Amino acid sequence: MEAYETKISIKAWAEEDRPREKLNAQGRRALSDAELIAILIGSGSRNESAVELSKRILHHYENDLQKLGKVSVSELSKFKGIGEAKAISIIAALELGHRRGDTEIKAPEIVNGSRSVYNVLKRHLVDLNHEEFWILLLSRNCKIIAKELISKGGLSGTVADPKIIFGIALQHQASSIILAHNHPSGNLKPSQQDIDLTKKIHAAGRILDIGVLDHLIITDGGFFSFADEELL
């Protein structure tokens, strides 16, 4: 008789319990997160099935797909049984899911408030482990001309040079701009540095006759608008 510690491979499971067969027979909604990831992994090891490996990975990230979605290839590859190719497959699948969510709300061509700005820029600023600073360039009727990445930084900050910002705005002949950056910490409250920078750019915009309509702080859970809070 086999000891309890002996692992049973997926091939030895009942057919209805195997992730691929289960998806085919019962539909994708019937599968757990671990079973879906196991399909991406494809195979486990002599000591661990693909499902067990998937459960171990999910447990490490507190069963939070948002946290797993931020993981790098090198970090995911540290799990025994996950090579670079498997790590890339998992990350690519999570990114596809993320992009699908973005397409559910079609980005507007004209912005008419902070929510529409958020819908345009959120795909660029969520699920990041570092700060990025973006600008949205608008025509006179608030139609989107372009969106531009200004800078990338570390976990706690990034540099936004007004000369670069307005240089791009003049190049595109923008009538107004909207500023945006993310807080990887999840804290929506603007720092004093955020407030000072916004005032500085807003003042420079007045001189150049380029309106600074808003500044959004974006996190994985929502956004903060300087305009909505009357801080502009």
Side-chain angles (χ1 to χ4, degrees):
M1 182 180 293
E2 294 182 341
Y4 286 114
E5 291 76 18
T6 301
K7 301 293 183 182
I8 303 174
S9 70
I10 288 180
K11 289 182 179 179
W13 295 7
E15 185 169 327
E16 63 271 17
D17 290 332
R18 300 178 203 167
R20 291 176 186 273
E21 286 79 359
K22 187 174 179 180
L23 187 149
N24 192 38
Q26 301 179 36
R28 57 184 180 273
R29 300 287 184 185
L31 274 67
S32 66
D33 291 345
E35 288 171 327
L36 289 169
I37 293 173
I39 291 175
L40 296 170
I41 291 173
S43 62
S45 64
R46 180 180 298 178
N47 298 317
E48 189 175 42
S49 72
V51 174
E52 289 166 335
L53 174 55
S54 300
K55 287 180 178 179
R56 181 159 58 90
I57 293 170
L58 283 169
H59 177 73
H60 180 81
Y61 295 106
E62 301 175 348
N63 293 305
D64 189 336
L65 291 177
Q66 294 290 342
K67 291 182 179 179
L68 183 58
K70 297 181 181 181
V71 176
S72 66
V73 171
S74 59
E75 184 177 345
L76 199 52
S77 298
K78 291 178 181 177
F79 287 91
K80 185 177 180 181
I82 297 292
E84 183 180 72
K86 290 181 179 180
I88 289 172
S89 293
I90 294 170
I91 290 172
L94 290 169
E95 177 60 19
L96 275 175
H98 174 65
R99 293 186 186 187
R100 181 190 176 192
D102 290 337
T103 60
E104 290 177 356
I105 302 176
K106 187 177 180 180
E109 293 183 357
I110 295 177
V111 298
N112 56 9
S114 57
R115 173 64 61 177
S116 59
V117 176
Y118 172 70
N119 289 337
V120 171
L121 292 175
K122 67 175 182 177
R123 65 162 297 186
H124 301 287
L125 288 166
V126 301
D127 291 343
L128 296 177
N129 291 317
H130 61 276
E131 280 200 12
E132 291 189 359
F133 198 101
W134 287 69
I135 60 172
L136 206 58
L137 301 143
L138 307 174
S139 66
R140 193 167 299 278
N141 63 353
C142 288
K143 185 175 182 179
I144 298 170
I145 299 172
K147 47 189 174 181
E148 297 282 344
L149 171 63
I150 300 300
S151 62
K152 292 183 180 182
L155 180 63
S156 59
T158 185
V159 177
D161 188 337
K163 295 189 294 296
I164 295 175
I165 290 171
F166 287 107
I168 293 173
L170 290 168
Q171 180 184 346
H172 286 276
Q173 299 183 330
S175 294
S176 58
I177 62 173
I178 293 175
L179 317 173
H181 76 283
N182 65 310
H183 279 180
S185 66
N187 182 11
L188 281 173
K189 184 178 179 180
S191 66
Q192 189 59 50
Q193 183 180 2
D194 294 333
I195 295 170
D196 293 342
L197 177 64
T198 305
K199 289 180 178 179
K200 182 179 180 180
I201 296 175
H202 189 266
R206 285 180 175 176
I207 296 172
L208 295 170
D209 196 25
I210 297 175
V212 179
L213 303 183
D214 203 349
H215 183 177
L216 265 64
I217 296 172
I218 294 175
T219 70
D220 292 354
F223 69 93
F224 175 95
S225 163
F226 276 67
D228 290 353
E229 300 299 324
E230 299 182 349
L231 292 177
L232 279 176

